[in-house]
Amino acid sequence: MDKIRITGGQRLEGVIPISGAKNAALPLMIASLLTDETLTLTNVPRLSDVTALSRILSNHGVDRTVAGRRIGQSAETGQTISLTARQIVDTCAPYELVSTMRASFWVIAPILARMGEAKVSLPGGCAIGTRPVDLLLMALERLGAEIAIENGYALARAPQGLKGAEIVFPKVTVGGTHTALMAAVLAKGTTVIENAAREPEVTDLAACLTKMGAKIEGAGTSRIVVEGVARLGGAHHAVLPDRIETGTYAMAVAMTGGDVELQGARLDLLQAAFDVLVRSGTEVSATADGVRVRRNGGGIAPVDVETEPFPGFPTDLQAQFMALMTVAQGTSRIRETIFENRFMHVQELARLGARIRLDGDVAIVEGVPKLTGAPVMATDLRASVSLVIGGLAAQGDTTINRVYHLDRGFEALEAKLTRCGAIVERISG
Ligand code: UD1
């Protein structure tokens, strides 16, 4: 298993290109199942989750072509992937394929909508507490599907097709909203989704579905109205920039000090996190090309944060922000409200010398003057990158084991950091 070794203490200076968003690319790829025409996606990040989903889609009969590199494109320029689901040859998504990535469960919606039946293994994914799919199945039931759970699989049937209905989510769910959207676009009649997720990735999926011929209003608000259509066609769509990758590198700059332009990043996708960074003493400004993040001289001020659905502070940046707060000049409180058990990075950050106490869903972080390098273990995607940030600021060497978690969600991490002056090395093993 590969490891990453970081020699900490370097300021980050330069430019980091921001990749396409993993959490947008995955539902967009899944949307290709809704049409027999070709969906071409540009700016798709090179990530192991994308590869895993490609494998799942090809099992259903989706043809995939990946465009070669063009003049002027670097190895990190996002990929262009064309997906064609001319015929869905298999309505079952098996355990062996689905268990590695939770989002792959979402294939249930387009397969059901197009074929009248789907059988999908209950998902795996990051070990961050119980992550049920009851609300996704509720949405499909509201649209007229019959659902059964058998032998670890969800079976959904709607032989007469899906019918528009009102879906009221009792809590905000990104996956639930993606699922409801993808099912409703081919349902007969009108669907109203109440308490919908407002995440930019939902808006991006809705924008792509609209290009494919869907009739959707209100994406980006908590009430989405979908007028079902008989069929969808092909489209071209560029995946939006990754706001979590953006926030992660912004926190790394805040922690190590330095001056970095996050090329392609958008302030509006991450206002809550940038506001918090500014309060911590970091300068954030829009540039013609992206966002510039700087921290010179002054120390890091402690800031209390609570994770919330968009537009609040994202749970996917909670671990990274905690890393930053470990060296703040005072005590901060970080409350996790989206996922239980999303504090597995705490004990690993403690190995670097952080002082963190847990009290239910709150982490109380007492800033220390400096962290010191140590061997640590990556436990999930976002937790592992918080250890990278910690390692970048720590004195001495930090070795991060089990980096396959990082490869799921961060494209060219070592290359991007090394170019800005960090000392990061992957050790194959
Ligand atoms: C997505 C993101 C993930 C992010 C999360 C919250 C992708 C691929 N993943 O995950 O990175 O951390 O949004 O922003 O886009 N819930 C239920 N029942 C359900 C579904 C969800 O109780 O059927 C709960 C979850 O346990 C959690 C909350 O709802 O407490 C939000 O989860 P959800 O928004 O669905 O997360 P994902 O879509 O899995």
Side-chain angles (χ1 to χ4, degrees):
M1 255 182 260
D2 289 5
K3 296 176 184 174
I4 284 183
R5 186 169 56 213
I6 300 173
T7 306
Q10 310 297 314
R11 279 166 61 87
L12 296 177
E13 308 244 349
V15 175
I16 296 181
I18 295 303
S19 299
K22 169 181 90 74
N23 285 358
L26 300 178
L28 288 166
M29 290 170 69
I30 290 173
S32 69
L33 289 164
L34 286 164
T35 175
D36 58 5
E37 293 181 15
T38 301
L39 175 63
T40 300
L41 299 172
T42 58
N43 202 32
V44 179
R46 289 176 175 78
L47 297 171
S48 64
D49 269 10
V50 167
T51 313
L53 181 59
S54 299
R55 217 172 300 134
I56 291 168
L57 294 179
S58 63
N59 185 57
H60 295 301
V62 178
D63 286 330
R64 180 176 65 121
T65 51
V66 181
R69 237 163 96 182
R70 302 284 182 267
I71 291 170
Q73 289 184 336
S74 73
E76 286 150 38
T77 308
Q79 316 171 82
T80 296
I81 300 186
S82 293
L83 300 162
T84 313
R86 205 166 307 288
Q87 274 187 326
I88 293 179
V89 296
D90 194 341
T91 56
C92 174
Y95 173 77
E96 301 70 51
L97 295 178
V98 177
S99 55
T100 58
M101 191 198 359
R102 182 180 158 81
S104 52
F105 185 77
W106 304 340
V107 300
I108 195 168
I111 295 178
L112 173 68
R114 199 163 140 196
M115 304 298 286
E117 60 169 44
K119 179 180 172 187
V120 180
S121 168
L122 295 169
C126 279
I128 49 171
T130 40
R131 295 178 75 179
V133 289
D134 55 325
L135 300 177
L136 283 67
L137 297 177
M138 176 278 283
L140 299 177
E141 262 175 339
R142 293 289 303 149
L143 297 174
E146 286 163 26
I147 307 282
I149 304 286
E150 275 171 27
N151 310 114
Y153 280 78
L155 278 69
R157 281 174 49 80
Q160 313 304 325
L162 296 170
K163 290 195 188 66
E166 188 182 45
I167 299 167
V168 184
F169 284 114
K171 66 157 88 160
V172 175
T173 153
V174 173
T177 307
H178 284 320
T179 306
L181 259 179
M182 286 192 274
V185 286
L186 288 181
K188 281 192 203 89
T190 309
T191 298
V192 180
I193 307 171
E194 297 281 5
N195 200 24
R198 292 181 279 165
E199 267 65 5
E201 294 75 23
V202 169
T203 315
D204 205 37
L205 173 65
C208 178
L209 291 171
T210 303
K211 288 181 195 165
M212 293 164 74
K215 296 205 170 116
I216 302 170
E217 269 174 30
T221 75
S222 45
R223 186 173 193 269
I224 304 179
V225 181
V226 182
E227 198 66 55
V229 296
R231 64 181 301 277
L232 294 178
H236 277 254
H237 187 79
V239 179
L240 93 171
D242 196 317
R243 63 195 169 98
I244 304 304
E245 189 196 25
T246 303
T248 299
Y249 289 125
M251 306 241 178
V253 177
M255 192 158 181
T256 57
D259 187 346
V260 169
E261 184 181 27
L262 302 170
Q263 210 171 45
R266 277 172 41 191
L267 270 182
D268 61 310
L269 299 180
L270 202 61
Q271 200 57 59
F274 282 133
D275 287 350
V276 166
L277 276 181
V278 168
R279 283 167 56 206
S280 78
T282 311
E283 288 173 48
V284 177
S285 55
T287 63
D289 244 4
V291 174
R292 182 174 176 195
V293 180
R294 269 193 299 179
R295 189 173 68 79
N296 289 317
I300 298 165
V303 184
D304 292 346
V305 151
E306 195 162 304
T307 61
E308 283 172 293
F310 190 84
F313 188 94
T315 174
D316 285 349
L317 284 176
Q318 181 254 105
Q320 299 89 314
F321 182 67
M322 195 181 297
L324 174 63
M325 288 296 101
T326 62
V327 288
Q329 293 170 325
T331 302
S332 58
R333 294 166 63 85
I334 301 175
R335 181 185 297 272
E336 172 59 55
T337 72
I338 310 291
F339 293 110
E340 56 193 81
N341 195 22
R342 201 174 203 181
F343 282 138
M344 283 174 311
H345 42 286
V346 167
Q347 58 196 34
E348 298 302 307
L349 286 171
R351 293 180 53 76
L352 301 178
R355 280 209 205 134
I356 307 170
R357 195 157 46 82
L358 289 180
D359 180 7
D361 60 357
V362 177
I364 300 135
V365 188
E366 200 187 311
V368 294
K370 63 172 171 47
L371 299 179
T372 45
V376 288
M377 185 84 77
T379 50
D380 72 49
L381 174 52
R382 310 305 177 185
S384 19
V385 84
S386 78
L387 301 173
V388 172
I389 296 179
L392 289 172
Q395 216 170 48
D397 283 3
T398 295
T399 314
I400 302 169
N401 295 286
R402 296 205 186 154
V403 293
Y404 57 84
H405 289 293
L406 284 172
D407 297 332
R408 290 188 44 213
F410 290 89
E411 184 176 29
L413 177 98
E414 307 97 278
K416 289 184 184 187
L417 286 172
T418 304
R419 237 182 293 136
C420 289
I423 305 175
V424 183
E425 184 191 4
R426 181 176 289 247
I427 306 162
S428 300

